[in-house]
Amino acid sequence: MGKQHSTVSIPLQKRWPLMILVLFSLSTAIVFFIRASSDSCTSRHGEDNNNGNHIHVTAQVGSLASPLSFMKSKLVLLVSHELSLSGGPLLLMELAFLLRGVGAEVVWITNQKPIGQDEVIYSLEHKMLDRGVQVISAKGQKAMDMAIKADLIILNTAVAGKWLDAVLKEYVPRVLRKVLWWIHEMRGHYFKVEYVKHLPFVAGAMIDSHTTAEYWRNRTWERLGIKMPQTYVVHLGNSKELMEVAENSVAKRVLREHVRQSLGMRNEDLVFAIINSVSRGKGQDLFLRSFHESLQLIQGKKLQVPSMHAVVVGSDMSAQTKFETELRNFVVEKKIQDRVHFVNKTLNVAPYLASIDVLVQNSQARGECFGRITIEAMAFQLPVLGTAAGGTMEIVVNGTTGWLHPAGKEGVMPLAKNIVKLATHVERRLTMGKKGHERVKEMFLEQHMSHRIALVLKEVLRKSNGNT
């Protein structure tokens, strides 16, 4: 079985205080709260470029004033379908902290919670409470009052639409004019009337990539006969905290040495990693097949490369799903236990990005809506090997910042060959990483994202006030 490592195990966490002390001295003390940024450093308004039936929101960065400062004293209700370590809830939390940073009153509702105590939910809720975000129950009079009183309501993901009828009932028409629907899904099973029947009547939809926006426009009409509201495409950006670590060579070296030592890898080893929640849609199985094929190619051609390792970050050691069992059985079957390492899912991606050499973004079918981990990896000057699907195609410049390969089984050998190419060409690997970092600095910083979101919020508030 592949080596198991848990980021929540006591032995490993006992080593983190020393790391944190080191990073304090490097002005990166909050490295492990990567997505919890509280204020933004942004500037003047960008332009709205009309792209067919949705608007691409761009940003021009120059001054130090926060573009979200107009949200001061506004009451914003954030409704998330769940609270977990997955991308959607974490992204909404980040927006909550940005809004709190400019003096907005922010209230958080989680629509679906498991029965009983959940350690992740408890931790994330207290993180929000510590930052001044109010956390209330999804049901009851207080939730209804907040929705009616709020200046702006942001529904996060398509599934959150169920909350409208379940809680607001006859008051739904009264609040739709001030709802911004932030959609991240790319899977067909989300196109259900009970989820999105109110979608045409909200103030706007915000989607993370052009590919996803086009998919939603076509799918809602063809499948449900529903027209999308005004849709804004807003590419995401990296937090300032992550960028501080990514651009601090000493911090990266310390993290690299620590993580590699904890996983049993040497500094000179070549490490390819996939960092996503373990599921078939994220393509960890196909990545491991490609990794094994790359080892076979290297052996067959007798190529001279450093010892290669694959790291799968995003396991759930407590669940042991059927899919993860398949992954581990494959590793045993191919006798690559010493080269494959499984790491428990974590909010703290920076240590792993600092410790690897190449990121593999292998999401399948329609790919990622955007894929935040891709721009995070590029910030660390890592080349990205990604599927030619979804938002990845809007981030990775094929042949410049990484390589794209087909989704599905037909992508296994192309990915394997790309792994070999990066393993055997050090300069190409380093050059792609540098180009990726340049692209992040130009397009995917927190201030870029704050500008893009600010433009959308202003427009939604304008519509809401106009309909009052």
Side-chain angles (χ1 to χ4, degrees):
M1 184 173 291
K3 294 183 179 179
Q4 299 182 24
H5 304 274
S6 172
T7 57
V8 297
S9 64
I10 293 175
L12 183 56
Q13 279 208 331
K14 282 184 176 178
R15 300 176 195 151
W16 288 120
L18 176 60
M19 297 296 303
I20 295 173
L21 287 174
V22 172
L23 295 174
F24 259 114
S25 67
L26 300 169
S27 301
T28 54
I30 46 178
V31 54
F32 299 124
F33 299 99
I34 297 303
R35 295 180 175 88
S37 51
S38 61
D39 53 4
S40 59
C41 181
T42 48
S43 64
R44 57 196 179 93
H45 296 168
E47 302 172 353
D48 287 356
N49 295 329
N50 209 332
N51 183 11
N53 292 296
H54 51 263
I55 294 175
H56 174 61
V57 185
T58 62
Q60 298 174 358
V61 178
S63 77
L64 296 177
S66 170
L68 290 166
S69 58
F70 68 93
M71 292 298 295
K72 183 178 181 180
S73 301
K74 299 289 186 185
L75 174 58
V76 183
L77 178 62
L78 306 178
V79 182
S80 183
H81 73 291
E82 65 176 11
L83 186 53
S84 67
L85 294 178
S86 58
L90 294 179
L91 189 57
L92 191 65
M93 277 183 61
E94 184 169 340
L95 178 57
F97 298 147
L98 288 172
L99 292 171
R100 283 295 301 141
V102 297
E105 183 181 356
V106 182
V107 181
W108 179 284
I109 283 176
T110 303
N111 190 39
Q112 297 175 337
K113 287 186 178 181
I115 299 174
Q117 184 76 6
D118 183 282
E119 186 176 323
V120 171
I121 292 177
Y122 178 85
S123 174
L124 294 179
E125 284 187 343
H126 277 75
K127 188 185 295 294
M128 288 192 283
L129 291 170
D130 289 344
R131 303 290 288 273
V133 177
Q134 302 174 50
V135 179
I136 67 173
S137 172
K139 300 178 181 179
Q141 189 63 42
K142 188 172 184 179
M144 187 179 297
D145 292 342
M146 280 292 181
I148 294 171
K149 182 182 177 183
D151 297 294
L152 175 68
I153 301 171
I154 299 179
L155 296 182
N156 198 43
T157 76
V159 184
K162 294 191 296 184
W163 176 81
L164 290 169
D165 285 320
V167 176
L168 300 185
K169 299 174 183 175
E170 68 270 19
Y171 292 99
V172 170
R174 186 172 171 182
V175 304
L176 290 179
R177 60 182 172 77
K178 56 184 178 181
V179 170
L180 174 64
W181 210 320
W182 202 355
I183 295 173
H184 313 284
E185 295 94 339
M186 281 282 277
R187 303 289 181 266
H189 60 270
Y190 292 108
F191 292 90
K192 296 181 179 179
V193 173
E194 60 264 35
Y195 292 167
V196 299
K197 66 181 180 181
H198 298 298
L199 187 55
F201 311 108
V202 301
M206 187 163 67
I207 300 182
D208 307 331
S209 68
H210 294 287
T211 302
T212 308
E214 190 67 16
Y215 176 66
W216 270 83
R217 184 182 70 84
N218 294 334
R219 190 82 174 197
T220 50
W221 179 249
E222 293 169 1
R223 191 164 181 173
L224 303 175
I226 288 176
K227 283 189 176 183
M228 290 288 288
Q230 181 67 69
T231 301
Y232 307 89
V233 175
V234 174
H235 284 156
L236 308 181
N238 287 326
S239 71
K240 292 187 294 183
E241 287 80 8
L242 182 131
M243 293 304 298
E244 286 178 7
V245 181
E247 296 179 342
N248 190 313
S249 59
V250 178
K252 286 197 296 183
R253 186 175 71 247
V254 173
L255 290 169
R256 179 184 177 92
E257 291 173 356
H258 174 79
V259 172
R260 288 195 171 218
Q261 181 183 9
S262 68
L263 296 180
M265 300 183 302
R266 301 170 301 176
N267 186 58
E268 61 269 23
D269 292 344
L270 187 56
V271 182
F272 296 79
I274 185 168
I275 306 178
N276 286 111
S277 297
V278 170
S279 67
R280 202 171 299 278
K282 300 299 183 181
Q284 286 92 350
D285 54 340
L286 300 178
F287 163 58
L288 290 179
R289 285 178 57 183
S290 296
F291 180 73
H292 176 256
E293 291 292 342
S294 72
L295 296 176
Q296 298 299 107
L297 290 171
I298 289 169
Q299 183 179 1
K301 295 181 180 180
K302 297 181 179 177
L303 301 174
Q304 297 298 312
V305 300
S307 178
M308 288 170 46
H309 292 256
V311 177
V312 179
V313 180
S315 294
D316 188 342
M317 302 302 180
S318 59
Q320 285 293 313
T321 63
K322 178 182 177 182
F323 178 66
E324 187 157 340
T325 300
E326 290 176 13
L327 298 182
R328 296 173 185 274
N329 288 343
F330 176 83
V331 170
V332 173
E333 177 189 337
K334 299 302 180 182
K335 296 181 172 60
I336 51 177
Q337 299 97 313
D338 292 337
R339 293 180 179 269
V340 179
H341 313 266
F342 292 92
V343 177
N344 208 13
K345 58 186 178 182
T346 176
L347 179 62
N348 311 326
V349 297
Y352 299 99
L353 293 174
S355 67
I356 67 176
D357 299 293
V358 179
L359 179 83
V360 177
Q361 173 59 282
N362 207 39
S363 294
Q364 298 299 303
R366 298 177 187 88
E368 291 285 334
C369 177
F370 182 77
R372 186 74 171 278
I373 191 64
T374 304
I375 60 171
E376 290 174 333
M378 290 162 63
F380 279 78
Q381 299 191 34
L382 301 176
V384 177
L385 300 179
T387 45
T392 303
M393 296 189 295
E394 296 173 27
I395 304 172
V396 176
V397 180
N398 193 32
T400 301
T401 66
W403 278 306
L404 299 175
H405 57 272
K409 294 179 181 178
E410 57 267 35
V412 170
M413 285 310 299
L415 174 56
K417 291 176 181 178
N418 288 340
I419 290 174
V420 173
K421 283 192 286 188
L422 288 185
T424 54
H425 293 85
V426 178
E427 284 303 318
R428 180 181 291 170
R429 191 169 71 240
L430 296 177
T431 299
M432 284 184 163
K434 290 177 182 176
K435 291 291 185 181
H437 181 262
E438 292 172 5
R439 185 164 169 79
V440 165
K441 297 283 280 187
E442 292 171 0
M443 300 178 61
F444 301 121
L445 296 178
E446 180 181 285
Q447 54 260 46
H448 298 131
M449 181 178 74
S450 295
H451 259 282
R452 293 187 278 257
I453 290 176
L455 291 170
V456 175
L457 298 190
K458 280 186 177 180
E459 180 65 14
V460 170
L461 287 174
R462 185 189 64 79
K463 290 181 179 179
S464 174
N465 293 332
N467 292 330
T468 301

